[in-house]
């Protein structure tokens, strides 16, 4: 069926993308490598964590959103495009304060960690709008969300005195509710036949499950990477694995329990198995016993399955109940653990101040995600971006040149 839409890709995307990359190149020109002295073992360990981040982002989140039967190419390729763009922009925004002081942005291997976290946050949010937005809109969304994350981090470190590793406390919730607000702003009545487009075909659902498996494998590394102390890293790794294991069992069993004939819903398993890892992102290094991590994974799995069953939205990738709701559970658990740890010893003012600071920082992060998501959503509604028509939602044909022998109708 003919459409004016391909012309907008030809006129908008190359111009925006090339101008943007040129601007980034000019900004990077003023940066310099700052390579700290480290032995080969330390360097390889640092590089290994970086590789795991990239695998999570490219294969995990890329294939996680590739479960819809006619949207596989766009999900994987657009995720890669947004990832590399977000990392470049995040390195600059995260180093903006240093640039103001020294007129030089040090480009370190370790600086890619927070940049990768920002990029992963963007890819999680993109799950809410993939299939309903073109690549130009996704580019604008990437730049605005990364900028908002940079502002949130700057405020957190300057006014709330948060350590660097506490960024992970906010990213699942920030990503989910930023995406929810953007999707809400772009929401339109879905066209006739949308149910068929949003169904999971067997090959596509296997690709989506492949993304889930990559994320499941590497989520413990993601939770432990920002921590500096070896003991905290070890604790975070073990607790995340326990939480992930229990949430995987919970997702499978409760999905079967919720079905009248005892059948397992792959969509539930596809999302809820990650809930334990998301919920443990914040409190993993504070958990002192495996049973606490297991209870957390159980609750996260139940909340995720409950959200999938009860929340009726256009969230076809399950971003809200995979990352948003378990992220809120993780923050609540973190605060409860602070109370519990302090009650087992002697209450000191520092602990109370830490709790108030954390609650204030989290409240600011949520408000920042909602406000920046609203601004982004309203901006993306402008007609200058030439968004696809509703009849073209969730179709690779809208964006890609598909030869007959390559395009399979499942």
């Amino acid at each position: 069926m003919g459409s004016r839409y391909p012309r907008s890709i030809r006129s908008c995307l190359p111009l925006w993308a090339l101008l943007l990359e040129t601007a980034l190149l000019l900004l990077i020109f003023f940066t310099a490598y700052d390579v700290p002295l480290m032995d080969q073992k330390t360097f390889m360990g640092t590089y290994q964590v970086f590789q795991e981040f990239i695998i999570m982002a490219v294969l995990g989140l890329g294939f996680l959103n590739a479960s819809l039967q006619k949207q596989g190419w766009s999900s994987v390729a657009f995720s890669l495009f947004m990832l590399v763009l977000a990392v470049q922009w995040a390195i600059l925004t995260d180093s903006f304060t240093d640039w103001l002081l020294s007129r030089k942005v040090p480009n370190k291997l370790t600086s890619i960690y927070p940049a990768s976290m920002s990029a992963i946050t963007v890819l999680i949010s993109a799950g809410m709008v993939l299939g309903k937005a073109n690549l130009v809109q996704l580019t604008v969304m990437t730049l605005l969300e990364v900028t908002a994350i940079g502002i949130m981090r700057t405020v957190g470190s300057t006014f709330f005195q948060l350590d660097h590793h506490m960024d992970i406390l906010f990213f699942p919730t920030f990503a989910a509710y930023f995406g929810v607000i953007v999707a809400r702003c772009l929401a339109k009545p879905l066209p006739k036949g949308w149910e068929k487009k949003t169904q999971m075909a067997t090959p596509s659902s296997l690709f989506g499950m492949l993304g889930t498996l990559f994320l499941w494998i590497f989520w413990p590394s993601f939770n432990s990477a920002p921590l500096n102390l070896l003991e905290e890293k070890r604790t975070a790794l073990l607790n995340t694995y326990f939480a992930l294991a229990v949430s995987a069992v919970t997702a499978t069993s409760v999905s079967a329990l919720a079905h009248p004939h005892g059948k397992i819903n792959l969509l539930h398993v596809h999302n809820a198995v990650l809930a334990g890892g998301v919920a443990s992102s914040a409190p993993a290094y504070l958990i002192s016993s495996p049973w606490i991590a297991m209870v957390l994974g159980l609750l996260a799995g139940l909340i995720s399955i409950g959200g999938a069953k009860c929340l009726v939205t256009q969230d076809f990738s399950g971003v809200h109940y995979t990352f948003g709701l378990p992220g809120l559970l993780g923050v609540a658990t973190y605060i409860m653990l602070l109370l519990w740890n302090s009650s087992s010893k002697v209450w000191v003012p520092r602990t109370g101040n830490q709790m108030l600071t954390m609650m204030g920082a989290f409240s600011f992060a949520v408000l920042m995600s909602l406000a920046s998501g609203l601004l982004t959503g309203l901006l993306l509604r402008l007609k200058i971006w030439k968004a696809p028509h509703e009849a073209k939602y969730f179709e690779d044909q809208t964006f890609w040149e598909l030869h007959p022998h390559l395009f399979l109708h499942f």
Side-chain angles (χ1 to χ4, degrees):
M1 184 171 62
S3 173
R4 295 180 301 167
Y5 181 65
R7 293 197 199 99
S8 70
I9 282 286
R10 191 165 58 246
S11 60
C12 291
L13 180 61
L15 176 64
W16 278 95
L18 293 176
L19 284 178
L20 178 60
E21 194 58 43
T22 301
L24 291 172
L25 190 151
L26 293 175
L27 291 172
I28 292 291
F29 177 78
F30 296 100
T31 69
Y33 284 114
D34 183 10
V35 183
L37 295 176
M38 61 177 68
D39 55 32
Q40 183 177 4
K41 183 179 180 180
T42 304
F43 173 79
M44 292 307 298
T46 303
Y47 181 65
Q48 180 182 354
V49 175
F50 167 67
Q51 285 182 311
E52 292 173 356
F53 273 36
I54 298 303
I55 292 173
M56 282 186 64
V58 176
L59 297 180
L61 289 167
F63 282 105
L64 181 69
N65 297 319
S67 57
L68 300 187
Q69 56 183 338
K70 294 186 177 182
Q71 194 188 298
W73 289 20
S74 300
S75 296
V76 177
F78 287 3
S79 293
L80 176 62
F81 183 93
M82 298 174 70
L83 168 70
V84 295
L85 177 63
V87 169
Q88 293 177 75
W89 185 239
I91 289 175
L92 294 175
T93 55
D94 290 346
S95 304
F96 184 68
T97 304
D98 292 337
W99 179 83
L100 289 177
L101 297 175
S102 62
R103 300 298 173 182
K104 182 187 295 185
V105 180
N107 196 349
K108 299 181 291 187
L109 180 61
T110 53
S111 68
I112 299 180
Y113 294 160
S116 300
M117 285 186 178
S118 298
I120 289 175
T121 304
V122 171
L123 295 185
I124 292 173
S125 301
M128 295 290 299
V129 296
L130 278 173
K132 296 184 286 186
N134 62 30
L135 194 52
V136 180
Q137 290 174 298
L138 294 175
T139 298
V140 176
M141 174 179 168
T142 299
L143 297 178
L144 292 176
E145 185 169 4
V146 169
T147 303
I149 294 170
I151 294 173
M152 182 188 71
R153 282 177 168 162
T154 301
V155 172
S157 61
T158 304
F159 294 98
F160 295 101
Q161 302 296 316
L162 294 182
D163 294 333
H164 170 67
H165 73 270
M166 293 310 300
D167 292 338
I168 204 171
L169 178 68
F170 308 129
F171 96 92
T173 307
F174 185 98
Y177 290 103
F178 181 95
V180 166
I181 295 299
V182 173
R184 181 65 178 172
C185 292
L186 296 180
K188 296 179 180 179
L190 294 177
K192 184 179 179 180
W194 67 269
E195 296 91 347
K196 184 178 180 180
K197 289 185 179 181
T198 56
Q199 288 177 350
M200 298 173 65
T202 300
S204 301
S205 62
L206 289 178
F207 278 123
M209 197 62 194
L210 176 65
T212 298
L213 294 177
F214 274 112
L215 291 173
W216 196 96
I217 291 170
F218 290 109
W219 207 276
S221 298
F222 185 76
N223 282 358
S224 62
L227 300 170
N228 296 320
L229 298 179
L230 183 60
E231 183 66 21
E232 290 182 347
K233 282 181 176 289
R234 182 190 67 84
T235 303
L237 278 170
L238 294 175
N239 285 326
T240 303
Y241 270 119
F242 276 115
L244 280 168
V246 175
S247 66
V249 173
T250 302
T252 306
S253 57
V254 175
S255 178
L257 182 65
H259 194 276
H261 302 292
K263 294 185 178 182
I264 302 169
N265 188 326
L266 182 61
L267 183 62
H268 296 166
V269 178
H270 178 246
N271 294 286
V273 295
L274 298 175
V278 175
S280 61
S281 295
Y285 75 101
L286 289 177
I287 297 175
S288 58
S289 180
W291 71 267
I292 301 176
M294 296 173 73
V295 171
L296 181 61
L298 174 65
L299 293 176
L302 291 174
I303 289 175
S304 185
I305 294 291
K309 293 286 291 183
C310 301
L311 296 179
V312 181
T313 64
Q314 294 185 14
D315 182 11
F316 302 112
S317 297
V319 171
H320 189 198
Y321 49 83
T322 303
F323 299 98
L325 297 179
L328 292 175
L329 174 64
V331 174
T333 303
Y334 182 89
I335 295 174
M336 290 176 63
L337 285 174
L338 286 179
L339 278 171
W340 187 39
N341 291 337
S342 64
S343 63
S344 62
K345 302 174 185 178
V346 178
W347 179 271
V348 292
R350 182 179 179 184
T351 305
N353 293 336
Q354 187 179 7
M355 284 185 52
L356 293 175
T357 298
M358 203 56 57
M359 293 175 66
F362 178 70
S363 299
F364 175 78
V366 172
L367 290 175
M368 190 70 186
S369 68
L370 297 177
S372 57
L374 179 62
L375 174 63
T376 302
L378 293 176
L379 182 61
L380 295 186
R381 290 182 63 177
L382 298 177
K383 294 183 178 180
I384 60 173
W385 312 119
K386 303 183 185 298
H389 190 271
E390 297 91 299
K392 297 291 184 179
Y393 281 180
F394 310 111
E395 287 191 8
D396 281 333
Q397 287 178 310
T398 305
F399 307 103
W400 296 92
E401 179 184 0
L402 298 175
H403 297 286
H405 68 283
L406 294 177
F407 187 65
L408 301 178
H409 295 277
F410 299 109

